């Protein structure tokens, strides 16, 4: 991990470089006004963020793109200074739909290319306008897709210059291994973006990814927004953990800053989500201290194991069915 005056950068296996702290932009429908989304992204650029994690499924790439373009126009940044991650949604996993899914994001963002484009979930859903197709019974309508063919289509998008890097999200080690062992593999995934925090440390998956020169990227690094649609409301609050609170007091930092720094020191990229300007700034102020080894061990010893984002559990190859 390289470090300069303000940010850490992770070098990926294709030679590209990812800023180790990014801003997550997921906003459940109606929870964030469009103008507030634009304002938050612009402010994040002003305080130093250069990595933004978005997705077609989030429904706000128009606003994210608008904010980034405005900061390019006013001279704060150049396009090459920004690292944008987009995601291929589950209804676009058929190989013939991959480029269309990418182009939807490019059109919304008004970008010529995306820095990193990743498969959002290894869970194919029935293609169509409905992004979460369900039967009358409420069960999801899954599709039958060979993800190795999906990966080949992503490789073609990279060759076409529409994306600079390609990767995956929410894959377990076995699913990732299928791509790595694919006959004729042209490009390895550069990353695997998964839920990771002190309550879900992902030790074995991290070890696997590091052994394959794949960057682990942590979403929900400070816990979850606890949306009742997919988060069990009985799960413990990470930011109220007494051990994390004690470590935070020791360093004069917030619990969120400790949780983020803990992951960074393990070589994990981190994408905390917030549209609160104060917390956006606070979550980026993690480069001026180091957690001592004994405190890293203390956090490692927290016995709670909780997955906040627990979806697609009825899919036969749900990534969470494996140990890691």
């Amino acid at each position: 991990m390289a470090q300069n005056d303000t940010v850490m950068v992770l070098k990926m296996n294709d030679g590209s470089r990812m800023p180790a702290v990014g801003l997550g932009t997921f906003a459940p429908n109606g929870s964030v006004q469009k103008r507030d989304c634009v304002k938050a992204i612009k402010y994040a650029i002003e305080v130093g963020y250069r990595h933004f994690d978005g997705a077609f499924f989030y429904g706000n790439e128009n606003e994210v793109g608008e904010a980034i373009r405005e900061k390019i126009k006013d001279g704060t940044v150049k396009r090459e200074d920004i690292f944008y991650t987009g995601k291929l949604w589950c209804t676009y996993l058929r190989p013939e739909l991959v480029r269309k899914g990418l182009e939807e994001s490019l059109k919304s963002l008004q970008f010529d290319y995306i820095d990193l484009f990743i498969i959002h979930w290894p869970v194919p859903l029935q293609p169509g306008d409905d992004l979460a197709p369900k039967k009358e019974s409420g069960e999801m309508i899954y599709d039958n897709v060979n993800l190795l063919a999906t990966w080949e289509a992503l490789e073609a998008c990279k060759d076409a210059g529409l994306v600079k890097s390609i990767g995956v999200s929410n894959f377990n080690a076995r699913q990732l291994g299928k791509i790595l062992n694919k006959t004729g593999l042209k490009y390895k995934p550069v990353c695997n973006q998964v839920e990771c925090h002190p309550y879900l440390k992902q030790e074995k998956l991290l070890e696997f990814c590091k052994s394959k020169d794949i960057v682990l990227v942590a979403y929900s690094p400070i816990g979850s927004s606890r949306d009742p649609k997919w988060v069990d409301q009985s799960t413990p609050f990470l930011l109220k953990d007494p051990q994390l609170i004690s470590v935070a007091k020791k360093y004069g930092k917030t619990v969120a800053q400790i949780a983020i720094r803990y992951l960074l020191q393990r070589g994990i990229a981190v994408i905390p989500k917030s549209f609160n300007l104060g917390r956006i700034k606070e979550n980026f102020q993690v480069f001026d201290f180091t957690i001592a080894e004994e405190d890293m061990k203390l956090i490692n010893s927290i016995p709670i194991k909780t997955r906040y984002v627990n979806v697609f559990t009825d899919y036969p190859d749900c990534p969470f069915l494996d140990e890691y």
Side-chain angles (χ1 to χ4, degrees), residues 224-235 308-310:
S224 162
S225 57
R226 305 182 71 84
D227 189 312
K229 290 178 185 174
W230 57 78
V231 177
D232 182 348
Q233 298 302 290
S234 69
T235 52
Y308 292 109
V309 182
N310 203 17

Side-chain angles (χ1 to χ4, degrees), residues 4 40 49 109 152 170 204 218 235 261 312:
N4 60 28
Y49 286 85
L109 293 159
E152 287 181 2
N170 296 301
K204 291 185 178 180
T235 52
R261 183 71 203 188
F312 300 126

Side-chain angles (χ1 to χ4, degrees), residues 129-299:
D129 294 334
D130 187 350
L131 300 185
K134 292 185 177 72
K135 302 175 184 175
E136 286 186 13
S137 62
E139 295 174 66
M140 302 297 295
I141 304 175
Y142 296 112
D143 198 16
N144 184 22
V145 177
N146 180 351
L147 293 180
L148 298 184
T150 307
W151 188 255
E152 287 181 2
L154 276 176
E155 291 178 323
C157 290
K158 177 175 165 71
D159 284 337
L162 299 177
V163 298
K164 292 191 176 297
S165 301
I166 52 177
V168 300
S169 179
N170 296 301
F171 275 53
N172 61 38
R174 177 180 52 80
Q175 292 165 331
L176 197 47
K178 285 183 179 180
I179 294 178
L180 294 172
N181 296 324
K182 174 186 172 296
T183 302
L185 180 68
K186 195 167 188 180
Y187 305 115
K188 285 171 61 173
V190 298
C191 74
N192 187 17
Q193 184 183 127
V194 297
E195 180 180 344
C196 186
H197 44 72
Y199 284 177
L200 188 64
K201 301 178 186 73
Q202 299 281 19
E203 299 101 324
K204 291 185 178 180
L205 186 59
L206 175 62
E207 183 181 352
F208 176 82
C209 287
K210 283 185 173 181
S211 75
K212 305 297 182 183
D213 196 18
I214 292 170
V215 173
L216 197 73
V217 181
Y219 69 75
S220 299
I222 54 177
S224 162
S225 57
R226 305 182 71 84
D227 189 312
K229 290 178 185 174
W230 57 78
V231 177
D232 182 348
Q233 298 302 290
S234 69
T235 52
F237 282 84
L238 180 74
L239 297 181
K240 294 182 179 178
D241 184 87
Q243 285 171 285
L244 291 175
I245 290 171
S246 70
V247 174
K249 285 180 179 177
K250 177 177 177 179
Y251 290 87
K253 295 292 181 179
T254 66
V255 173
Q257 288 169 328
I258 293 297
I260 291 167
R261 183 71 203 188
Y262 165 74
L263 295 174
L264 289 175
Q265 288 182 211
R266 297 172 65 211
I268 299 170
V270 187
I271 45 170
K273 175 191 77 72
S274 183
F275 291 93
N276 176 290
L277 302 190
R279 286 195 287 274
I280 287 173
K281 184 176 183 180
E282 173 189 295
N283 291 343
F284 200 69
Q285 294 174 329
V286 291
F287 303 110
D288 60 350
F289 74 105
T290 300
I291 301 174
E293 186 178 350
E294 66 265 22
D295 295 316
M296 289 292 288
K297 288 180 179 177
L298 178 67
I299 298 171

Side-chain angles (χ1 to χ4, degrees), residues 74-95:
D74 73 12
T76 304
V77 290
K78 297 175 183 176
R79 173 63 185 92
E80 56 266 31
D81 298 328
I82 297 296
F83 185 96
Y84 181 80
T85 299
K87 302 185 187 78
L88 181 69
W89 183 240
C90 304
T91 53
Y92 288 91
L93 295 187
R94 291 185 185 180

Side-chain angles (χ1 to χ4, degrees), residues 119-133:
I119 297 174
H120 205 148
W121 289 88
V123 180
L125 292 174
Q126 175 181 276
D129 294 334
D130 187 350
L131 300 185

